[in-house]
Amino acid sequence: MGDGTAPGFYLIPAGEAEGGRRVRRYGMSILKFLGLGGAPDKAGQGDTDTVRRIAAELDRLEPDHARHIAAFAYILGRVAIADREISAAETQAMERIVADRGALPEAQAVMVVQIAKSQNVLFGGTEDFLVAREFARTASYDQKLALLECLYILSATDATITLAEDQEIARVALELKIEHADVVRARLARREYLSVLRRPAGG
């Protein structure tokens, strides 16, 4: 994240959307990957050429680098889905952020985002705090601030930071023990997008 220690990502899905196909199964809970236990696998026993290709590609990353971006990408997805949907624009923004902050090629970043989104659908809520705690344990304070900035950038992609997204970012900041003044500063930098601060039409 700007200091040469940008995180990488490594999660092995049991199924992946490709060519418009519906995602069926994703295998490893992010907590299991991070070595924290976690929910049982949702996947069947099968494997596919797509899965093997993704696993081989992401397995090239250094493990600590990989775990860091795993948590980073999961938290991005957590905020993106806070309002119950992730738009195409938000998905593209996540891909850009992960590629930039994780120093990943575009193809890898796309796969990372797809996995992170599916992990939030399957395990979101039950793993949020533990993943945030793991990120907090391994990240520097500057890396936490960089993530906070990315969360606001992502949420503003659709030109509106919804109340649900705003509240979820606040929860993440609290879990990461980011100082209140830094949260306020990051929030005010995108205050024009905050739905809670907008006047009702005609008001």
Side-chain angles (χ1 to χ4, degrees):
M1 297 203 180
D3 60 356
T5 60
F9 181 74
Y10 173 58
L11 279 178
I12 302 176
E16 189 222 7
E18 183 178 32
R21 288 191 290 112
R22 182 181 179 84
V23 174
R24 290 187 179 182
R25 306 183 302 273
Y26 276 77
M28 185 184 293
S29 157
I30 192 171
L31 288 189
K32 287 192 173 184
F33 170 66
L34 294 173
L36 302 175
D41 289 353
K42 302 287 186 179
Q45 296 299 313
D47 198 358
T48 67
D49 289 341
T50 300
V51 172
R52 285 189 287 271
R53 175 170 55 80
I54 295 171
E57 186 73 15
L58 299 183
D59 196 32
R60 299 172 189 173
L61 298 173
E62 191 274 326
D64 288 341
H65 179 80
R67 290 189 187 94
H68 201 156
I69 199 64
F72 178 89
Y74 179 91
I75 294 170
L76 284 178
R78 169 181 165 182
V79 170
I81 206 171
D83 54 3
R84 305 303 179 190
E85 64 177 353
I86 302 178
S87 69
E90 286 175 321
T91 297
Q92 292 171 358
M94 288 177 68
E95 292 167 357
R96 289 193 299 270
I97 290 169
V98 169
D100 178 46
R101 302 291 180 166
L104 298 179
E106 181 182 359
Q108 279 191 344
V110 169
M111 289 187 286
V112 167
V113 168
Q114 289 301 320
I115 297 168
K117 286 167 58 178
S118 294
Q119 287 285 298
N120 271 281
V121 170
L122 290 174
F123 304 111
T126 61
E127 303 194 348
D128 289 352
F129 175 74
L130 292 176
V131 173
R133 187 175 67 182
E134 179 65 10
F135 185 86
R137 186 183 69 81
T138 60
S140 69
Y141 193 74
D142 284 345
Q143 288 173 324
K144 295 176 187 179
L145 291 180
L147 172 57
L148 179 67
E149 179 185 5
C150 289
L151 294 178
Y152 279 111
I153 291 172
L154 174 62
S155 297
T157 298
D158 295 328
T160 299
I161 299 176
T162 67
L163 178 60
E165 290 169 335
D166 193 22
Q167 291 175 334
E168 192 64 28
I169 293 173
R171 277 190 285 270
V172 170
L174 185 63
E175 292 163 7
L176 298 184
K177 295 181 171 58
I178 296 175
E179 294 181 9
H180 180 66
D182 289 326
V183 177
V184 171
R185 190 177 300 111
R187 188 172 184 265
L188 288 179
R190 285 174 173 77
R191 64 180 302 163
E192 69 269 27
Y193 300 111
L194 293 168
S195 61
V196 71
L197 297 181
R198 290 180 174 174
R199 292 182 179 180

